[in-house]
């Protein structure tokens, strides 16, 4: 039973292309997140949605656009990909009413831009 | 802003050695503290947590105590195994803010 799943696991594409990464959670959580992990393993939050509403947007270029069709899904669309977008992207989820806000992570999507 | 500082890695140990990974934090509110572990090629897993001063989180032989006076949450294990080789992340959240703020991660390498 996969709690937080992401597709695809690997994504190789060329500069300038547009791509999407999908995330689904079956934990019944109301909050979902996207994190970016760079080549040095540093993790930084990009976005957070609560009940389909954007609540965190951390100075991410507007080429990145998250979309939450329902509470269980949070997709990440990236326009005009650049070399610097190469990273591992992690989706996570939590329940806002549970303190502390334990987050459960997906397996990651390794994006390589050539 | 809120931040977490971890010791630089890699930490290289022999099996059954004692492990300490240091973590200190800066936060404007009263944070909850976490340790996450990332095994090679995998996502992050919550290892343990603590929500208030003097709380001790523990799991799989790992422990960490929330020390408000020293703003620290050091990770310890009495006897490491090869299977503990991974990257360990210290992290915090503050009340009202649902994002995790991570340290830079510490790679642990355990040899037989």
């Amino acid at each position: 039973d996969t709690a937080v799943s992401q597709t695809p696991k690997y994504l190789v594409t060329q500069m300038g292309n547009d791509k999407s990464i999908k995330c689904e959670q079956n934990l019944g959580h109301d909050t979902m997140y996207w994190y970016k992990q760079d080549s040095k393993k540093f993790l930084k939050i990009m976005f957070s949605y609560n009940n389909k509403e954007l609540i965190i947007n951390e100075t991410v270029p507007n080429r990145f656009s998250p979309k939450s069709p329902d509470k269980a899904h949070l997709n990440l669309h990236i326009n005009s990909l650049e070399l610097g977008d190469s990273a591992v992207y992690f989706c996570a989820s939590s329940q806002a009413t549970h303190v502390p806000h334990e987050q459960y992570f997906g397996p990651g999507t390794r994006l390589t831009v050539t | 802003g809120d931040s977490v500082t971890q010791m630089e890695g890699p930490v290289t140990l022999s099996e059954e050695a004692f492990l300490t990974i240091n973590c200190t934090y800066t936060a404007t509110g009263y944070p909850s503290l976490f340790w996450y572990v990332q095994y090679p090629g995998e996502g992050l897993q919550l290892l343990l947590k603590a929500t208030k001063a003097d709380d001790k989180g523990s799991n799989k032989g790992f422990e960490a105590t929330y020390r408000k006076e020293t703003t620290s949450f050091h990770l310890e294990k009495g006897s490491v195994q090869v299977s503990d080789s991974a990257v360990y992340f210290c992290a915090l959240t503050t009340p009202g803010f649902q994002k995790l703020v991570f340290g830079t991660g510490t790679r642990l390498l355990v040899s037989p």
Side-chain angles (χ1 to χ4, degrees):
Chain A
D1 289 347
T2 303
V4 182
S5 59
Q6 296 178 227
T7 54
K9 190 168 173 63
Y10 300 96
L11 185 52
V12 181
T13 188
Q14 291 184 328
M15 283 175 55
N17 284 349
D18 303 338
K19 290 293 179 186
S20 291
I21 306 171
K22 295 186 176 182
C23 178
E24 177 180 2
Q25 55 94 5
N26 63 6
L27 297 167
H29 289 163
D30 59 5
T31 307
M32 296 184 72
Y33 311 80
W34 279 110
Y35 287 85
K36 180 180 180 181
Q37 186 176 46
D38 63 22
S39 59
K40 295 184 178 179
K41 296 288 190 183
F42 184 64
L43 273 155
K44 193 171 180 349
I45 191 165
M46 301 173 68
F47 301 103
S48 173
Y49 270 74
N50 176 263
N51 285 317
K52 302 193 297 176
E53 185 178 338
L54 180 67
I55 56 171
I56 295 175
N57 183 344
E58 290 277 313
T59 58
V60 176
N62 56 16
R63 298 183 294 104
F64 290 79
S65 52
K67 284 189 173 54
S68 182
D70 54 58
K71 285 196 315 181
H73 296 85
L74 180 62
N75 303 323
L76 183 65
H77 188 76
I78 315 169
N79 290 329
S80 303
L81 278 154
E82 300 178 358
L83 292 176
D85 298 332
S86 296
V88 181
Y89 292 84
F90 286 102
C91 178
S93 72
S94 70
Q95 182 61 27
T97 52
H98 291 175
V99 178
H101 302 295
E102 281 180 43
Q103 294 184 20
Y104 294 82
F105 283 77
T109 296
R110 181 175 295 277
L111 171 64
T112 303
V113 182
T114 62
Chain B
D2 300 338
S3 66
V4 175
T5 302
Q6 286 182 241
M7 60 190 290
E8 289 274 341
V11 173
T12 305
L13 296 172
S14 297
E15 208 165 20
E16 298 183 4
F18 185 86
L19 168 72
T20 300
I21 300 178
N22 290 338
C23 171
T24 57
Y25 67 88
T26 302
T28 50
Y30 201 142
S32 296
L33 303 173
F34 306 84
W35 277 99
Y36 279 82
V37 58
Q38 185 177 26
Y39 297 103
E42 297 185 14
L44 281 81
Q45 300 175 26
L46 178 65
L47 182 60
L48 54 83
K49 65 183 184 224
T51 58
K52 60 184 187 297
D54 301 325
D55 262 4
K56 178 185 280 188
S58 61
N59 186 24
K60 299 182 182 179
F62 291 90
E63 293 182 339
T65 301
Y66 190 143
R67 301 284 187 204
K68 192 167 188 292
E69 65 277 12
T70 54
T71 61
S72 64
F73 193 54
H74 304 321
L75 182 68
E76 296 182 336
K77 186 175 185 183
S79 176
V80 293
Q81 305 300 311
V82 172
S83 57
D84 293 327
S85 297
V87 180
Y88 292 82
F89 292 91
C90 187
L92 65 81
T93 59
T94 49
F97 293 91
Q98 294 182 30
K99 66 178 183 181
L100 276 166
V101 175
F102 285 94
T104 51
T106 302
R107 183 178 299 276
L108 170 66
L109 300 170
V110 181
S111 55

